Amino acid sequence: MKLLALDTSTEYLSLALWQDGAVIVREMLAQQKHSSLILPLLREVLHEAGLQLTDLDGIAFGAGPGSFTGLRIACGVAQGLAFGANLPVVGLCTLEALAEQSGADKVIACLDARMGEVYYAAYVRKNAAWVEVRAPSLCHPTELPKVEGDGWCGIGSGWDVYAEILNTTYPATHVIPNAFPLARYIAALAAPIFAAGGGESAHEAHP
């Protein structure tokens, strides 16, 4: 299984070429340069792997939540590449990708949405899959819902920006700092979907 994954949902740009679990990655702080950097980096990882786009089995992208412009860059690039190579596409939740990245089994993923709000979701891992305890939502950090039990892990830029508020709402939570959605974890989530024959045609993909 050979997959390309990409994420431009935050100020970071992340690409991953996933080959049966082995991954070639490019990750950088792109600020507002995602659109000019993403295709050269894509050519770079394909060249390093010795592959053509048509050798891939699918393309995955971070479908949000995240930056309005960034999500459309990722979706547009994924669609364009998939159309050209006749590949299936899958869009995955950036908050679930953060949960996958955490290495924990109970995760509160929280991204800074700017304007005093956060994107939030809570997940638990069951049978190697993520189950939503709290569905992705947008809210003020003081209005985040409670979760039951202990042993939770917090991850995402929302924890960095609103640490005092979130640590009060979710005491005794282990926090992973300075984390942003990474394409390598989007690829890991996408692999079983493509292996099961999932994915959608390029024109159906959307942020």
Side-chain angles (χ1 to χ4, degrees):
M1 178 77 65
K2 301 178 182 68
L3 308 175
L4 174 69
L6 52 101
D7 185 83
T8 57
S9 63
T10 69
E11 61 267 34
Y12 288 87
L13 167 60
S14 179
L15 285 174
L17 186 62
W18 192 93
Q19 301 181 76
D20 296 322
V23 187
I24 298 172
V25 300
R26 295 294 186 274
E27 296 160 359
M28 66 176 61
L29 179 62
Q31 299 291 3
Q32 304 300 317
K33 298 180 180 178
H34 298 83
S35 58
S36 62
L37 292 171
I38 191 167
L39 291 179
L41 287 176
L42 168 62
R43 287 192 289 269
E44 195 175 289
V45 296
L46 286 171
H47 177 75
E48 183 175 335
L51 297 174
Q52 301 294 320
L53 193 62
T54 51
D55 295 324
L56 302 179
D57 298 296
I59 299 174
F61 68 97
S67 158
F68 179 89
T69 301
L71 296 180
R72 278 147 186 79
I73 291 171
C75 183
V77 170
Q79 284 182 309
L81 296 173
F83 270 126
N86 192 30
L87 296 172
V89 178
V90 64
L92 288 158
C93 179
T94 51
L95 296 171
E96 186 175 351
L98 283 170
E100 181 73 13
Q101 179 180 340
S102 72
D105 292 326
K106 299 171 67 177
V107 182
I108 300 168
C110 191
L111 284 170
D112 180 21
R114 311 302 172 100
M115 304 298 289
E117 294 182 306
V118 293
Y119 299 116
Y120 161 93
Y123 300 92
V124 295
R125 192 193 298 272
K126 292 185 178 180
N127 300 321
W130 290 105
V131 177
E132 292 179 356
V133 175
R134 298 287 185 181
S137 61
L138 174 68
C139 59
H140 190 276
T142 60
E143 299 172 350
L144 292 173
K146 299 285 187 178
V147 292
E148 296 181 358
D150 53 15
W152 290 90
C153 174
I155 187 171
S157 58
W159 286 92
D160 302 319
V161 177
Y162 299 103
E164 184 175 352
I165 296 173
L166 269 64
N167 285 324
T168 299
T169 305
Y170 307 111
T173 296
H174 168 67
V175 177
I176 298 173
N178 305 316
F180 56 93
L182 294 175
R184 66 179 80 181
Y185 298 102
I186 292 172
L189 292 171
I193 297 174
F194 286 124
E200 55 191 4
S201 61
H203 76 273
E204 295 176 304
H206 57 84

